[in-house]
Amino acid sequence: MISTDVEIKVESGGVYIICRRVKIEDKEQWNNVVKESLNGTFYHTWEWNDVIEKGLNSESLSVAVEDEEEHKLIGIFPFFIRNLFEDYRINKYFPTISNNFQIGCSPHHKLYSFGGPCVLSSVTNCEEIYKLIFDSIDSYSKDKKNITGHLIYPYHNCLDSALIQNGYTKTGIKKTAIINIDKNLTEICKGFKKQFSRDIKKASKKGIIIYESQNYEEDIDLYYNQFQKLLIDRVIERTGNCYGRVSYALVPYSYFEKLRDILFPKKMARLFFAEYNGVKVGALINFYYKDTIYLGHTTVLRGKYNGLNVSKLLMWHIIVDGKKNGFKNLDVSGLHPNESHGQYQFKMGFKGQVKEIGVYKKSYRYNEIKHAKAIIYKHAKATIIELRKLQ
């Protein structure tokens, strides 16, 4: 995360509060705000944002609000800037044009996660702090000129009114499901689809071994080379090598490196393998924070291993392991919008409670049109000059 001298200071209740870009020294206090906030999640933590910034090479515009009198952080906002056309062919063939169109996002669009600001639950002037944060981001975006809009997915509906009051429009919803694992294992299993329970029992009897990696420094390479690349191959096959769909699915090796270096040592991420007759037939990376497990990345071998029900057994193992370690919820990390889709059917087979996540946008339409005209004119002029040289 980047430090800068730019800051906004306002008076609130006789006390000055400052909204500024974050500094490395803020790490401990940043995480404290996330922990003590009503809507703080794993995806708001300093460590996750560090992974995104360094692993995905993303520009961070994360800000913090500081109580000047007590010298402590009372609010935080993880925010990233990305290329609007990152997953389109224009980015491949005309990068000088596409790089001039950016969008601000919280969370990062590339991976399932949540965003929006967090404020200490003990703070009484939350609305003022939210406004200060949004004004700061708004000012930066307008000055930058090439930022065409913002996109925010807040986990908790406590932010709904603040977002609307600060110029955001709710344009849709995303869904996830939360499985309650704070119950007796028998009771949890009874909640599954009957076929799922039968499949898990069958898989257990086939000698499939589920175990946690004890050497993640080497095993993350194995995961990437064997399982992540397999997932990409499937996307290519399923989409007919559609550029946008494949580009969206491409998560670079550097991201997995940062998971290994930042999250695994703190047990905020864990890697599990499923093995059958000496062959690794499945792998799963999960994220852990407070009382919740977030399903991260999962891939299983197909073909002759299809009938083993490895995915279901991995999920059951995570539930059993999570309960043993004191976790109360498992977030399945997103549901496909089409309820007949295989992904939706699989995840809802564990009968979690559906949770809706609002999608909020703010558009700088005037800036967008004005900036587009300037860029097009600039490149058209340069092309004409080059053509004249050839005559």
Side-chain angles (χ1 to χ4, degrees), residues 1-6 20-26 46 53 60 62:
M1 298 185 182
I2 307 166
S3 172
T4 180
D5 294 327
V6 177
R20 57 170 174 77
R21 293 281 284 272
V22 295
K23 304 175 289 188
I24 189 66
E25 296 83 5
D26 293 327
W46 182 281
E53 184 179 358
S60 171
S62 297

Side-chain angles (χ1 to χ4, degrees), residues 327-344:
F327 290 90
K328 297 180 179 180
N329 300 293
L330 171 59
D331 186 330
V332 302
S333 298
L335 294 170
H336 197 280
N338 181 356
E339 293 186 9
S340 64
H341 191 276
Q343 184 255 43
Y344 183 97

Side-chain angles (χ1 to χ4, degrees), residues 1 45-55 258 262:
M1 298 185 182
T45 63
W46 182 281
E47 288 81 1
W48 175 252
N49 286 275
D50 213 15
V51 167
I52 294 301
E53 184 179 358
K54 296 172 181 176
K258 294 308 169 186
I262 298 171

Side-chain angles (χ1 to χ4, degrees), residues 93-128:
Y93 297 111
F94 303 102
T96 53
I97 295 178
S98 70
N99 286 338
N100 284 282
F101 295 90
Q102 308 289 316
I103 186 168
C105 50
S106 179
H108 196 278
H109 83 296
K110 196 79 171 177
L111 301 157
Y112 171 84
S113 52
F114 312 112
C118 293
V119 173
L120 286 175
S121 57
S122 58
V123 171
T124 57
N125 58 337
C126 292
E127 297 302 321
E128 290 181 52

Side-chain angles (χ1 to χ4, degrees), residues 115-213:
C118 293
V119 173
L120 286 175
S121 57
S122 58
V123 171
T124 57
N125 58 337
C126 292
E127 297 302 321
E128 290 181 52
I129 296 172
Y130 289 142
K131 186 177 187 309
L132 180 60
I133 288 173
F134 288 129
D135 283 350
S136 173
I137 297 293
D138 206 42
S139 176
Y140 176 89
S141 298
K142 289 176 179 177
D143 289 344
K144 188 99 175 190
K145 293 186 173 60
N146 65 348
I147 296 178
T148 63
H150 295 168
L151 183 62
I152 298 178
Y153 307 153
Y155 184 73
H156 202 285
N157 58 14
C158 67
L159 287 176
D160 290 357
S161 61
L163 286 162
I164 292 170
Q165 288 170 16
N166 286 279
Y168 290 84
T169 302
K170 189 175 184 179
T171 60
I173 59 169
K174 291 179 175 288
K175 293 180 180 180
T176 187
I178 312 297
I179 302 170
N180 178 6
I181 62 174
D182 190 26
K183 297 185 291 186
N184 179 279
L185 286 174
T186 303
E187 190 179 347
I188 295 172
C189 197
K190 282 182 179 178
F192 300 165
K193 283 184 181 178
K194 288 183 179 180
Q195 186 59 50
F196 274 44
S197 297
R198 287 194 290 265
D199 289 343
I200 289 168
K201 288 178 182 177
K202 288 179 182 178
S204 300
K205 293 177 181 178
K206 288 178 180 177
I208 299 171
I209 302 169
I210 310 293
Y211 63 93
E212 182 177 2
S213 166

Side-chain angles (χ1 to χ4, degrees), residues 14-30:
V15 176
Y16 281 104
I17 54 176
I18 305 167
C19 185
R20 57 170 174 77
R21 293 281 284 272
V22 295
K23 304 175 289 188
I24 189 66
E25 296 83 5
D26 293 327
K27 180 178 178 179
E28 184 177 344
Q29 287 199 43
W30 174 288

